[in-house]
Amino acid sequence: MNLAQLGLVEQSIFVFAALALLLSFLLLFQGRLTAMVHVFAWQGFLLALLTATVASVEHSHHLFLSAALTLMLKGLMIPWMLHRLIRKLHLERHQERLQHQALVMMAGAGLVIFSYWVVLPIARLELANTRNIVALSLAIVQLGMLLMVARRQVVAQVIGFMSMENGLFLAAVAATYGMPLVVELGIAFDVLVAAILFGVFFFHIRDSIESLDVDQLTQLSEEER
Amino acid sequence: MEALYITLALPVCGALLFALVRDARLASTLNLFISAASFVSTLWLAIQVLSHGSMHSTHFLVDPFNIYLLVLTTLVGMTTAIFSRPYMQHVCAEGRCSIHRMRLYHSMYQAFMFTMLLALSTNNLGVLWVSVEGATLATVLLVSLYRTPEAVEAAWKYFILCGVGIAQALFGTVLLYFAAQHVLSSPEEGLNWMILYQHASSLNPTVMGIAFVFLLVGYGTKVGLVPMHQWLPDAHSEGPTPMSAVLSGLLLNVALYAVVRIKILTDGALVQSPHPQMAGHLLMGFGLISFLVAGLFLHRQRDIKRMFSYSSIEHMGLATFAFGIGGPLATFGALLHMLVHSLTKSAIFVTVGHATHIAGTQRIEQIRGLIRTQPEVGWGLLLGVAAIAGFPPFGLFTSEFLLLTATMQSWPWLTVSLLLGLGIAFAGLFRHLHPMVYGKAPQGQQAVRVNMVPVALHLLLVLWLGLAIPDFLSNWLNLAATLISGKGLL
């Protein structure tokens, strides 16, 4: 596939998806929570833009709706909620010391290659240009998981969780022009409820272990109890 | 179909209603009534299915495979509600949980029932995903209901692990939709299970293979398959006991149901490919590992609820393994196993709930002499564990016997590991059970107010299924086995 042969619209879709992946790497790298929330908001914004582009090509009303929903939910509402929580928990200046930073970034690059490898058999089917986007979205999902593994701070873990959700949304929009409307609304509802519950949990965790570091959550294990 | 709509509407109304009812006593009574009404309406649905056969519309699907699970779900929901009423009052009296949190408890109990019923009856694989995720969201605050550090940790683990796991399932669902779009004339129907089933053979095998792996990992996390099982013992042991009963009895079944529905499609798509048994082999692998690992873990448990949650992993592993073998006999056995396991396990959790109230702790070494202090609890636990360990004449003996026979037919050398696993699990359960039931009761241990009706009902049903499976049920299971494995048994 040659990028230059594609139309302007396809090219811009690729650029948006690639930028979203880049933002995932930024999330992985960023130690300050408020900055992470901003990066996450930008990712949501890019996804909304991408969805709107696809919608205008496909003349699909329901994709426009889901673009608006994404913008509202992931670009504005969830970042706003996270900001408020960070202020309430007095974490504005919280800066996490990232451990094994180089290693994590290398692992991230490895995951991107892995995603391309997983999607390789689909590419052989020559089903349009979807291969790249499916691989990119899988990479965003994997990077979200890596972020959750690498970070010890609960708010950072939640941002990782939400960026995984972004990757899934990208897969749905790019590969299949969005899921059926019922499903999309259902997913949006679940994401919203999850975001609210996470907020509740921050306070529970802080009240029970007086910290927001998951390394302190070690009561339950198979070791001698 | 009206019966189904009523079944689905009842828990929704309940969830909304309980958000408003402040009186915990009234709410627990109403909870019981709503659960009983749901049970009656699924019975009505079952009678309709009996007389008219399976039915499906654009959004819903009721066939022999899910009707028995629907009835089972509302039955366990009802009996657990019977148990939960005095149990939660006791908990509140102990001061472990404030009265106003009971509002959350009852509301989420019904919300959880709704997600289970929706997941079982929906015809849309996307809605299936949404409701399985919804089940996590509904139960996560219940796991942390007591707000102890352990409970909060368990809930966080549950939330994160299941969230991440279920995200993989959504990716698989997207891939499946992607495969469907290249086959179906109207892509909007690409998640409709019935339509996908009719077109299964033309779905692209490569895409379906990859999608199945993601879906298996995703829903497998909720089934509690090793190595994605880490959340399960924690969530079961730290949450309120009625929650453990419904999680073990219902949620795991529904997740396995989702995996099997996907497997049917994958098998259809892979018929012509070089690896037609890929889905089955993956299930066998995951199932066998879960079965063996959980059996070993039973031995080193110190918490009674934790121990029985490992037993749930073990049994779900066995059922997964059997679905993996495929073939009518193994599938029939697995379907029966899902039914009897869930009845027995919820009965055990109810008994365990009473036992922990008697002993005042969940630690196995401090629970002693149940049969002296309160014979009905001691006998309940003894019989329940005998049933779960697969003693005849209980139903689990029947299903495990069928599974062993099926294994001997198709994978004879794996029978050894199955027998070994059953032996290990048996030993693991009984070494802990014996002192708990017969040991010397500590001084001053007193009987508590118990309601053993749910336990007796479940164990009698399991006994009945072990002695004689009623015609209509064997017919349903046979039809479901035909749907899943392509051939009938009877």
PDB file of all heavy atoms in Angstrom, chain B residues 136-155:
ATOM      1  N   THR B 136     -20.146  -6.270  35.747  1.00  0.00           N
ATOM      2  CA  THR B 136     -18.988  -5.865  36.553  1.00  0.00           C
ATOM      3  C   THR B 136     -19.296  -4.573  37.287  1.00  0.00           C
ATOM      4  O   THR B 136     -19.049  -4.441  38.482  1.00  0.00           O
ATOM      5  CB  THR B 136     -17.760  -5.614  35.658  1.00  0.00           C
ATOM      6  OG1 THR B 136     -17.632  -6.678  34.749  1.00  0.00           O
ATOM      7  CG2 THR B 136     -16.512  -5.483  36.490  1.00  0.00           C
ATOM      8  N   LEU B 137     -19.839  -3.607  36.541  1.00  0.00           N
ATOM      9  CA  LEU B 137     -20.088  -2.288  37.137  1.00  0.00           C
ATOM     10  C   LEU B 137     -21.097  -2.400  38.272  1.00  0.00           C
ATOM     11  O   LEU B 137     -20.984  -1.718  39.289  1.00  0.00           O
ATOM     12  CB  LEU B 137     -20.595  -1.324  36.073  1.00  0.00           C
ATOM     13  CG  LEU B 137     -19.634  -1.066  34.918  1.00  0.00           C
ATOM     14  CD1 LEU B 137     -20.270  -0.176  33.868  1.00  0.00           C
ATOM     15  CD2 LEU B 137     -18.343  -0.468  35.412  1.00  0.00           C
ATOM     16  N   ALA B 138     -22.108  -3.291  38.096  1.00  0.00           N
ATOM     17  CA  ALA B 138     -23.139  -3.404  39.135  1.00  0.00           C
ATOM     18  C   ALA B 138     -22.585  -4.052  40.394  1.00  0.00           C
ATOM     19  O   ALA B 138     -23.008  -3.724  41.501  1.00  0.00           O
ATOM     20  CB  ALA B 138     -24.323  -4.218  38.605  1.00  0.00           C
ATOM     21  N   THR B 139     -21.644  -4.990  40.244  1.00  0.00           N
ATOM     22  CA  THR B 139     -21.218  -5.742  41.425  1.00  0.00           C
ATOM     23  C   THR B 139     -20.000  -5.148  42.103  1.00  0.00           C
ATOM     24  O   THR B 139     -19.709  -5.496  43.238  1.00  0.00           O
ATOM     25  CB  THR B 139     -20.928  -7.205  41.063  1.00  0.00           C
ATOM     26  OG1 THR B 139     -20.196  -7.227  39.856  1.00  0.00           O
ATOM     27  CG2 THR B 139     -22.197  -7.978  40.932  1.00  0.00           C
ATOM     28  N   VAL B 140     -19.292  -4.240  41.398  1.00  0.00           N
ATOM     29  CA  VAL B 140     -18.007  -3.817  41.958  1.00  0.00           C
ATOM     30  C   VAL B 140     -18.183  -3.061  43.281  1.00  0.00           C
ATOM     31  O   VAL B 140     -17.422  -3.260  44.225  1.00  0.00           O
ATOM     32  CB  VAL B 140     -17.199  -3.027  40.908  1.00  0.00           C
ATOM     33  CG1 VAL B 140     -17.766  -1.657  40.677  1.00  0.00           C
ATOM     34  CG2 VAL B 140     -15.764  -2.914  41.344  1.00  0.00           C
ATOM     35  N   LEU B 141     -19.248  -2.266  43.380  1.00  0.00           N
ATOM     36  CA  LEU B 141     -19.455  -1.550  44.642  1.00  0.00           C
ATOM     37  C   LEU B 141     -19.980  -2.486  45.734  1.00  0.00           C
ATOM     38  O   LEU B 141     -19.888  -2.183  46.910  1.00  0.00           O
ATOM     39  CB  LEU B 141     -20.422  -0.386  44.454  1.00  0.00           C
ATOM     40  CG  LEU B 141     -19.833   0.855  43.786  1.00  0.00           C
ATOM     41  CD1 LEU B 141     -20.867   1.940  43.698  1.00  0.00           C
ATOM     42  CD2 LEU B 141     -18.611   1.347  44.531  1.00  0.00           C
ATOM     43  N   LEU B 142     -20.563  -3.613  45.304  1.00  0.00           N
ATOM     44  CA  LEU B 142     -21.030  -4.581  46.301  1.00  0.00           C
ATOM     45  C   LEU B 142     -19.872  -5.352  46.896  1.00  0.00           C
ATOM     46  O   LEU B 142     -19.900  -5.731  48.063  1.00  0.00           O
ATOM     47  CB  LEU B 142     -22.037  -5.542  45.664  1.00  0.00           C
ATOM     48  CG  LEU B 142     -23.324  -4.880  45.219  1.00  0.00           C
ATOM     49  CD1 LEU B 142     -24.294  -5.917  44.714  1.00  0.00           C
ATOM     50  CD2 LEU B 142     -23.941  -4.116  46.366  1.00  0.00           C
ATOM     51  N   VAL B 143     -18.851  -5.608  46.074  1.00  0.00           N
ATOM     52  CA  VAL B 143     -17.678  -6.305  46.607  1.00  0.00           C
ATOM     53  C   VAL B 143     -17.032  -5.461  47.703  1.00  0.00           C
ATOM     54  O   VAL B 143     -16.561  -5.975  48.706  1.00  0.00           O
ATOM     55  CB  VAL B 143     -16.689  -6.618  45.475  1.00  0.00           C
ATOM     56  CG1 VAL B 143     -15.369  -7.121  46.026  1.00  0.00           C
ATOM     57  CG2 VAL B 143     -17.271  -7.649  44.538  1.00  0.00           C
ATOM     58  N   SER B 144     -17.050  -4.124  47.514  1.00  0.00           N
ATOM     59  CA  SER B 144     -16.403  -3.268  48.519  1.00  0.00           C
ATOM     60  C   SER B 144     -17.410  -2.757  49.554  1.00  0.00           C
ATOM     61  O   SER B 144     -17.171  -1.770  50.233  1.00  0.00           O
ATOM     62  CB  SER B 144     -15.720  -2.086  47.847  1.00  0.00           C
ATOM     63  OG  SER B 144     -16.692  -1.226  47.310  1.00  0.00           O
ATOM     64  N   LEU B 145     -18.546  -3.453  49.695  1.00  0.00           N
ATOM     65  CA  LEU B 145     -19.634  -2.950  50.543  1.00  0.00           C
ATOM     66  C   LEU B 145     -19.197  -2.730  51.990  1.00  0.00           C
ATOM     67  O   LEU B 145     -19.621  -1.784  52.635  1.00  0.00           O
ATOM     68  CB  LEU B 145     -20.801  -3.936  50.506  1.00  0.00           C
ATOM     69  CG  LEU B 145     -22.127  -3.410  51.048  1.00  0.00           C
ATOM     70  CD1 LEU B 145     -22.729  -2.415  50.093  1.00  0.00           C
ATOM     71  CD2 LEU B 145     -23.109  -4.547  51.285  1.00  0.00           C
ATOM     72  N   TYR B 146     -18.321  -3.592  52.508  1.00  0.00           N
ATOM     73  CA  TYR B 146     -17.928  -3.475  53.912  1.00  0.00           C
ATOM     74  C   TYR B 146     -16.842  -2.420  54.135  1.00  0.00           C
ATOM     75  O   TYR B 146     -16.520  -2.106  55.276  1.00  0.00           O
ATOM     76  CB  TYR B 146     -17.444  -4.824  54.459  1.00  0.00           C
ATOM     77  CG  TYR B 146     -18.498  -5.903  54.457  1.00  0.00           C
ATOM     78  CD1 TYR B 146     -18.154  -7.243  54.403  1.00  0.00           C
ATOM     79  CD2 TYR B 146     -19.849  -5.580  54.506  1.00  0.00           C
ATOM     80  CE1 TYR B 146     -19.116  -8.230  54.397  1.00  0.00           C
ATOM     81  CE2 TYR B 146     -20.820  -6.567  54.503  1.00  0.00           C
ATOM     82  CZ  TYR B 146     -20.454  -7.892  54.452  1.00  0.00           C
ATOM     83  OH  TYR B 146     -21.408  -8.873  54.450  1.00  0.00           O
ATOM     84  N   ARG B 147     -16.255  -1.935  53.037  1.00  0.00           N
ATOM     85  CA  ARG B 147     -15.251  -0.852  53.104  1.00  0.00           C
ATOM     86  C   ARG B 147     -14.039  -1.174  53.955  1.00  0.00           C
ATOM     87  O   ARG B 147     -13.386  -0.273  54.470  1.00  0.00           O
ATOM     88  CB  ARG B 147     -15.874   0.450  53.630  1.00  0.00           C
ATOM     89  CG  ARG B 147     -16.999   0.992  52.810  1.00  0.00           C
ATOM     90  CD  ARG B 147     -16.545   1.644  51.538  1.00  0.00           C
ATOM     91  NE  ARG B 147     -17.618   1.644  50.575  1.00  0.00           N
ATOM     92  CZ  ARG B 147     -18.618   2.496  50.579  1.00  0.00           C
ATOM     93  NH1 ARG B 147     -18.645   3.437  51.471  1.00  0.00           N
ATOM     94  NH2 ARG B 147     -19.564   2.417  49.674  1.00  0.00           N
ATOM     95  N   THR B 148     -13.741  -2.433  54.183  1.00  0.00           N
ATOM     96  CA  THR B 148     -12.492  -2.744  54.854  1.00  0.00           C
ATOM     97  C   THR B 148     -11.376  -2.612  53.813  1.00  0.00           C
ATOM     98  O   THR B 148     -11.651  -2.678  52.617  1.00  0.00           O
ATOM     99  CB  THR B 148     -12.494  -4.188  55.377  1.00  0.00           C
ATOM    100  OG1 THR B 148     -12.735  -5.046  54.259  1.00  0.00           O
ATOM    101  CG2 THR B 148     -13.586  -4.401  56.406  1.00  0.00           C
ATOM    102  N   PRO B 149     -10.115  -2.412  54.240  1.00  0.00           N
ATOM    103  CA  PRO B 149      -9.039  -2.308  53.251  1.00  0.00           C
ATOM    104  C   PRO B 149      -9.009  -3.503  52.313  1.00  0.00           C
ATOM    105  O   PRO B 149      -8.801  -3.347  51.104  1.00  0.00           O
ATOM    106  CB  PRO B 149      -7.777  -2.254  54.112  1.00  0.00           C
ATOM    107  CG  PRO B 149      -8.218  -1.705  55.408  1.00  0.00           C
ATOM    108  CD  PRO B 149      -9.633  -2.155  55.602  1.00  0.00           C
ATOM    109  N   GLU B 150      -9.263  -4.701  52.862  1.00  0.00           N
ATOM    110  CA  GLU B 150      -9.248  -5.891  52.008  1.00  0.00           C
ATOM    111  C   GLU B 150     -10.354  -5.828  50.965  1.00  0.00           C
ATOM    112  O   GLU B 150     -10.141  -6.166  49.802  1.00  0.00           O
ATOM    113  CB  GLU B 150      -9.432  -7.174  52.836  1.00  0.00           C
ATOM    114  CG  GLU B 150      -8.269  -7.549  53.717  1.00  0.00           C
ATOM    115  CD  GLU B 150      -8.351  -6.859  55.059  1.00  0.00           C
ATOM    116  OE1 GLU B 150      -9.347  -6.144  55.294  1.00  0.00           O
ATOM    117  OE2 GLU B 150      -7.421  -7.013  55.871  1.00  0.00           O
ATOM    118  N   ALA B 151     -11.537  -5.391  51.409  1.00  0.00           N
ATOM    119  CA  ALA B 151     -12.669  -5.354  50.478  1.00  0.00           C
ATOM    120  C   ALA B 151     -12.413  -4.346  49.373  1.00  0.00           C
ATOM    121  O   ALA B 151     -12.695  -4.602  48.195  1.00  0.00           O
ATOM    122  CB  ALA B 151     -13.949  -5.009  51.225  1.00  0.00           C
ATOM    123  N   VAL B 152     -11.851  -3.176  49.745  1.00  0.00           N
ATOM    124  CA  VAL B 152     -11.570  -2.164  48.723  1.00  0.00           C
ATOM    125  C   VAL B 152     -10.533  -2.690  47.749  1.00  0.00           C
ATOM    126  O   VAL B 152     -10.658  -2.528  46.532  1.00  0.00           O
ATOM    127  CB  VAL B 152     -11.108  -0.845  49.388  1.00  0.00           C
ATOM    128  CG1 VAL B 152     -10.586   0.123  48.351  1.00  0.00           C
ATOM    129  CG2 VAL B 152     -12.246  -0.221  50.163  1.00  0.00           C
ATOM    130  N   GLU B 153      -9.522  -3.361  48.287  1.00  0.00           N
ATOM    131  CA  GLU B 153      -8.495  -3.905  47.402  1.00  0.00           C
ATOM    132  C   GLU B 153      -9.090  -4.946  46.451  1.00  0.00           C
ATOM    133  O   GLU B 153      -8.812  -4.942  45.250  1.00  0.00           O
ATOM    134  CB  GLU B 153      -7.378  -4.548  48.235  1.00  0.00           C
ATOM    135  CG  GLU B 153      -6.299  -5.137  47.361  1.00  0.00           C
ATOM    136  CD  GLU B 153      -5.235  -5.873  48.155  1.00  0.00           C
ATOM    137  OE1 GLU B 153      -5.116  -5.595  49.357  1.00  0.00           O
ATOM    138  OE2 GLU B 153      -4.534  -6.693  47.560  1.00  0.00           O
ATOM    139  N   ALA B 154      -9.930  -5.829  47.009  1.00  0.00           N
ATOM    140  CA  ALA B 154     -10.545  -6.867  46.173  1.00  0.00           C
ATOM    141  C   ALA B 154     -11.379  -6.236  45.075  1.00  0.00           C
ATOM    142  O   ALA B 154     -11.327  -6.662  43.919  1.00  0.00           O
ATOM    143  CB  ALA B 154     -11.407  -7.780  47.032  1.00  0.00           C
ATOM    144  N   ALA B 155     -12.142  -5.186  45.432  1.00  0.00           N
ATOM    145  CA  ALA B 155     -13.002  -4.549  44.443  1.00  0.00           C
ATOM    146  C   ALA B 155     -12.172  -3.868  43.360  1.00  0.00           C
ATOM    147  O   ALA B 155     -12.514  -3.925  42.178  1.00  0.00           O
ATOM    148  CB  ALA B 155     -13.918  -3.541  45.127  1.00  0.00           C
TER     149      ALA B 155
END
